[in-house]
């Protein structure tokens, strides 16, 4: 259950949480015509709060709208400002932020036509997506029986609502089969990403991740690549089969919600020593120091705000 906050920014105004509602004939409910973001704000050790890579998330939202062909009237700066307003009005020192752009009610055909485009930004407190224990000990995953999107079937660079039915299918199957998360393979059978995360593996102290051609360009992925490089690791983008995961020393997921989550088992094969590996643990520690404002070298990734 989402922990309710006070207000939601809805088409330019802050409205009470319970009044941010839509009609059942909202186009996006029927056809998945929406784009969204997932962003986190963290309370720093110094008591200051900051949103992690806020501007980039909003740039991606604007890009997602463009890819789907939605005529978004707000620019990235306006949406950034609206996000801070939402956090401030809810007194949230930290939490998860969900901006959503969606085609509203009007005509009911597939063509969105002249239906209104709505924008909302909600924020609420949210802890570890896969659980605190997952961050500590790692999770068990299976390669999904569902294939990840082909680039000319769904638009993989758009974080669009419709894309996530594929994620829901894979996640539901994984959980029903007793796993924590799914690894999704692309139409050629190569490793793509998680249902809401990018994926990394470590072999002989080199870090590998699938290339960006058919996955979402995650900001946690990007941050980890930069951070790992700064820590002296070689990071290579390579096309990998699931068997490379089976024999990896470490596997881990990255994402705004999942943060850096180690994987301890893939398809019943134990990875490394069956617990969070040293590289994932180091990156996790450094990542949390960065988001909590403890490492000034990465201050540019933080958008501070006052509560
Ligand atoms: N891939 C998918 C499919 C996702 O939904 C997400 C979460 N936004 C990611 C990767 C990770 O992206 P980010 O690190 O920007 O949250």
């Amino acid at each position: 259950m989402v922990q309710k906050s006070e207000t939601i920014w809805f088409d330019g105004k802050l409205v009470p949480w319970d009044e941010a509602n839509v009609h059942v004939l909202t186009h996006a409910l029927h056809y998945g015509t929406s784009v969204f973001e997932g962003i986190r704000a963290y309370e720093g050790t110094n008591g200051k709060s900051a949103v992690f890579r806020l501007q980039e998330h909003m740039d991606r939202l604007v890009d997602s709208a463009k890819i789907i062909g939605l005529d978004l009237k707000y620019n990235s700066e306006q949406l950034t400002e609206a996000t801070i307003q939402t956090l401030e009005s809810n007194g949230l020192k930290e939490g998860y932020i969900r901006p959503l752009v969606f085609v509203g009610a009007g005509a009911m055909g597939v063509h969105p036509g002249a239906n209104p485009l709505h924008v909302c930004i909600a924020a609420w407190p949210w802890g570890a997506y896969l659980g605190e224990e997952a961050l500590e000990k790692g999770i068990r995953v299976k390669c999904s029986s569902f294939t990840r999107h082909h680039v000319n079937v769904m638009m993989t660079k758009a974080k669009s609502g419709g894309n996530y039915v594929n994620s829901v299918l894979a996640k539901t199957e994984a959980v029903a089969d007793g796993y924590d998360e799914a690894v999704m393979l692309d139409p050629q059978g190569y490793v793509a990403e998680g249902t809401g995360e990018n994926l990394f593996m470590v072999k002989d102290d080199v870090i590998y991740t699938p290339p960006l051609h058919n996955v979402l360009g995650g900001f946690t992925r990007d941050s980890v690549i930069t951070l790992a490089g700064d820590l002296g690791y070689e990071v290579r983008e390579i096309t990998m089969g699931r068997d490379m995961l089976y024999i990896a020393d470490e596997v881990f997921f990255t994402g705004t919600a999942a943060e850096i989550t180690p994987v301890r088992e893939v398809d019943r094969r134990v990875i490394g020593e069956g617990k969070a590996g040293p590289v994932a643990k180091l990156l996790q520690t450094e990542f949390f120091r960065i988001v909590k404002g403890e490492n000034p070298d990465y201050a540019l990734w933080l958008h501070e705000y006052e509560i």
Side-chain angles (χ1 to χ4, degrees):
M1 235 349 215
V2 169
Q3 192 182 327
K4 230 162 125 169
S5 43
E6 300 280 315
T7 57
I8 290 178
W9 189 94
F10 199 175
D11 290 337
K13 286 194 288 284
L14 288 162
V15 302
W17 178 280
D18 287 326
E19 290 172 26
N21 301 318
V22 296
H23 195 270
V24 291
L25 293 188
T26 292
H27 196 273
L29 281 179
H30 299 253
Y31 306 116
T33 40
S34 65
V35 294
F36 67 99
E37 270 305 317
I39 312 172
R40 269 191 198 266
Y42 292 90
E43 184 177 4
T45 336
N46 57 4
K48 285 193 184 152
S49 291
V51 184
F52 189 61
R53 306 197 66 166
L54 175 56
Q55 184 78 47
E56 287 112 313
H57 276 284
M58 287 312 183
D59 289 346
R60 187 169 71 185
L61 185 67
V62 170
D63 287 348
S64 293
K66 182 175 183 185
I67 291 170
I68 303 300
L70 306 178
D71 187 18
L72 182 56
K73 297 288 185 222
Y74 296 97
N75 62 31
S76 180
E77 287 72 29
Q78 290 166 317
L79 295 165
T80 295
E81 218 169 278
T83 301
I84 299 299
Q85 226 184 316
T86 310
L87 289 164
E88 286 173 350
S89 87
N90 285 295
L92 279 172
K93 283 176 179 283
E94 59 181 16
Y96 184 81
I97 303 152
R98 169 55 56 86
L100 174 74
V101 176
F102 64 99
V103 180
M108 264 315 280
V110 166
H111 196 290
N115 288 22
L117 192 67
H118 299 290
V119 184
C120 63
I121 303 172
W124 63 88
W126 205 10
Y129 177 62
L130 294 158
E132 283 297 333
E133 199 179 296
L135 288 180
E136 280 275 309
K137 297 193 176 146
I139 58 169
R140 298 176 58 249
V141 305
K142 70 169 271 182
C143 291
S144 184
S145 74
F146 296 99
T147 300
R148 198 51 161 166
H149 305 299
H150 179 283
V151 286
N152 209 26
V153 174
M154 297 300 276
M155 303 292 100
T156 62
K157 291 292 171 291
K159 204 168 157 57
S160 79
N163 278 12
Y164 281 80
V165 177
N166 178 248
S167 290
V168 169
L169 288 168
K171 178 86 185 190
T172 311
E173 177 191 64
V175 171
D177 289 351
Y179 297 88
D180 302 298
E181 184 52 281
V183 171
M184 306 217 60
L185 308 180
D186 72 13
Q188 283 71 44
Y190 295 108
V191 175
E193 58 186 337
T195 63
E197 305 89 2
N198 291 114
L199 182 138
F200 287 81
M201 57 158 268
V202 184
K203 184 78 176 171
D204 298 329
D205 280 331
V206 177
I207 302 175
Y208 300 88
T209 191
L212 281 180
H213 61 266
N214 61 1
V215 299
L216 191 74
F219 298 118
T220 323
R221 176 189 185 277
D222 179 74
S223 306
V224 160
I225 291 174
T226 302
L227 176 60
D230 292 350
L231 290 169
Y233 286 98
E234 185 184 344
V235 185
R236 288 190 210 154
E237 291 187 346
I238 59 157
T239 304
M240 58 178 89
R242 64 202 282 180
D243 48 2
M244 283 195 67
L245 302 184
Y246 295 169
I247 55 169
D249 300 328
E250 295 184 39
V251 174
F252 58 92
F253 278 131
T254 64
T256 298
E259 296 164 315
I260 297 172
T261 300
V263 172
R264 66 183 153 92
E265 207 184 293
V266 180
D267 292 343
R268 300 185 188 277
R269 275 83 169 172
V270 172
I271 305 303
E273 291 179 15
K275 57 184 189 185
V279 177
K281 272 194 358 208
L282 173 66
L283 290 168
Q284 205 187 49
T285 306
E286 292 305 316
F287 177 77
F288 282 127
R289 284 189 60 231
I290 291 170
V291 298
K292 287 177 181 296
E294 292 172 19
N295 188 340
D297 292 349
Y298 301 90
L300 279 178
W301 285 348
L302 303 179
H303 186 118
E304 285 188 355
Y305 64 99
E306 303 255 346
I307 290 294

